[in-house]
Every structure is written in C-alpha cells, then in structure tokens.
Amino acid sequence: MRSVRMTIGRLAEITGVPASAIRYWERHGLLAAPERESGRRRYPPEAAERIKVLRTCQQAGLTLAEIAEFQREQPHREAMIRAKITEVEQRMIDLRHAHELLTHALKCGEQDIVTCPKFLDQMAAWQTPAPPH
C-alpha cells in the first residue's frame, strides 16, 4: 500500500517553508523531485523531514552549495565539513570578541572608547594568536 502523499501547498504549510523554496531546492538537487499525479507534485511524508534537515543546515550557516556537498557520501563531504568547522570556530571567536567589546562599551566611562586602556588591552589580546591546543 502506498503512503499518503501531500501537495506542495500542504508540505509548505507543515514545514513553514514557502513552496517557491521547495521548488528551488528540487531544481538544485537538494530535495528529491516528487512523483506526480495528474501533473501535480505529490510528496511522501519523508519530504517534510528532509526539509527540516535542510532548514537546520541553513540555520547552522551552510550555504546551498555546502548543503549539497553535505548530502554526498562521507569521503566527498569530509573536506567541506572540516573547512566549515574551522570557519565556525573562527566565527565563535569573533562573536566572543564582539560580546566582550559590547559588554565593555556598555559599562565604559571613557568619552571615547577607542582611548580606553582596557579596550585597547582587549584589542591587543585579540591580535595575539592563541596557543595551539
């Protein structure tokens, strides 16, 4: 017995993703093209799960090209994943610096924060490479 298949409108409704994005992902091979009944797309229930994975990957900062690579078999995606981990780690450092800067700026009594000794010390520390782990 065939599983119940849904229209693109229903899939868009339950995933919160516009139908245009679903069609775009199909065209670019990120989402398998569905069967058609009377010329209309009919998606299996698993399509909703796949869309959740695609959205999670996007929210994690992966580009569409990286998501396509992520879906390939292990040996092909490994280099992309390693590069992305390095990029994410650098973004984490940058965000920590931004948080420190903004937190200090909120409390800083200096008229011009650029002349604040603590701010200048923070900036100098950020420029010093971290010791290897």
Side-chain angles (χ1 to χ4, degrees):
M1 183 168 158
R2 255 176 71 182
S3 64
V4 177
R5 299 193 176 271
M6 63 191 106
T7 64
I8 194 169
R10 178 69 181 134
L11 183 60
E13 180 183 323
I14 66 171
T15 61
V17 173
S20 59
I22 294 170
R23 286 189 293 272
Y24 181 86
W25 290 341
E26 284 174 27
R27 279 193 310 275
H28 290 85
L30 300 173
L31 186 63
E35 292 181 11
R36 291 187 179 257
E37 292 175 13
S38 303
R40 297 186 69 191
R41 291 173 167 89
R42 297 293 177 173
Y43 295 87
E46 307 82 60
E49 288 304 312
R50 186 62 154 200
I51 286 173
K52 287 178 188 175
V53 169
L54 292 171
R55 294 290 294 148
T56 300
C57 287
Q58 283 185 316
Q59 290 168 340
L62 273 69
T63 65
L64 293 179
E66 289 167 338
I67 293 169
E69 190 69 20
F70 191 76
Q71 295 182 83
R72 294 183 68 196
E73 58 277 358
Q74 182 65 32
H76 294 283
R77 68 179 180 230
E78 194 170 308
M80 182 281 298
I81 291 170
R82 288 183 190 286
K84 196 64 177 182
I85 288 171
T86 300
E87 178 185 320
V88 167
E89 288 171 346
Q90 183 58 53
R91 281 197 337 228
M92 289 168 63
I93 291 167
D94 294 343
L95 286 171
R96 189 182 77 244
H97 290 168
H99 183 267
E100 290 171 3
L101 167 74
L102 294 171
T103 301
H104 175 74
L106 197 57
K107 297 183 277 184
C108 185
E110 294 288 333
Q111 193 69 12
D112 181 359
I113 194 167
V114 176
T115 63
C116 173
K118 185 172 180 185
F119 173 76
L120 293 172
D121 288 346
Q122 281 181 328
M123 293 288 291
W126 296 342
Q127 303 306 315
T128 306
H133 337 319

